[in-house]
Amino acid sequence: MTQNDIFTFMDSCPQPTLLTTIDGIMVYANSSYKEQIYFGQGDKLTPVIDNIIESSRSEPLIQANALYCKYLESLFLKNKKTTIKKELFYYKQYVTLRTIVSIGCDDYILLMISEEK
């Protein structure tokens, strides 16, 4: 797979989709992610989840949810198996799919997020 193949796939997904490095640094996000999930600019060199934790210091529930997401991501990275989990982002419940995607010689995390109805 090439980077353009992955980006094209992500852009065709109606649900929010995010590609990060293994360290959690955002590489690419589709427009649904930018519109529905990612409301701030954040530091492009800081992992996405860490940005949420830092920016939500005055909102303990959001911060706790982000810490739980960070925990789930660490389990995912330890096992390196595709996972589907229920998570909370900001005050909504979502079902997330995380999988490893290889582009060239590097591995990335592809995160797909679907709001639970």
Side-chain angles (χ1 to χ4, degrees):
M1 284 272 160
T2 68
Q3 185 174 354
N4 285 339
D5 293 334
I6 300 298
F7 292 172
T8 300
F9 169 76
M10 292 172 66
D11 287 338
S12 71
C13 295
Q15 69 271 13
T17 306
L18 174 68
L19 185 70
T20 68
T21 64
I22 294 297
D23 297 328
I25 307 296
M26 184 186 301
V27 174
Y28 188 77
N30 71 357
S31 60
S32 295
Y33 180 86
K34 292 174 186 173
E35 292 168 5
Q36 297 174 36
I37 306 289
Y38 188 65
F39 300 111
Q41 293 301 316
D43 177 357
K44 295 190 186 298
L45 299 177
T46 302
V48 174
I49 294 174
D50 290 345
N51 273 331
I52 294 170
I53 293 167
E54 287 299 314
S55 67
S56 62
R57 288 195 181 274
S58 63
E59 299 185 63
L61 180 61
I62 292 173
Q63 197 170 33
N65 293 340
L67 286 167
Y68 179 66
C69 292
K70 187 170 183 153
Y71 168 73
L72 290 176
E73 190 160 283
S74 71
L75 291 177
F76 163 73
L77 288 171
K78 180 180 177 184
N79 297 322
K80 298 220 182 215
K81 293 183 180 178
T82 299
T83 61
I84 298 175
K85 300 283 184 192
K86 289 185 180 185
E87 299 180 46
L88 292 172
F89 288 106
Y90 296 98
Y91 296 99
K92 296 181 181 177
Q93 188 161 338
Y94 295 89
V95 175
T96 62
L97 179 140
R98 281 185 179 85
T99 194
I100 297 287
V101 174
S102 294
I103 301 174
C105 297
D106 297 316
D107 288 339
Y108 296 87
I109 299 170
L110 179 65
L111 173 64
M112 301 177 81
I113 303 166
S114 181
E115 187 174 348
E116 191 170 65
K117 302 288 180 191

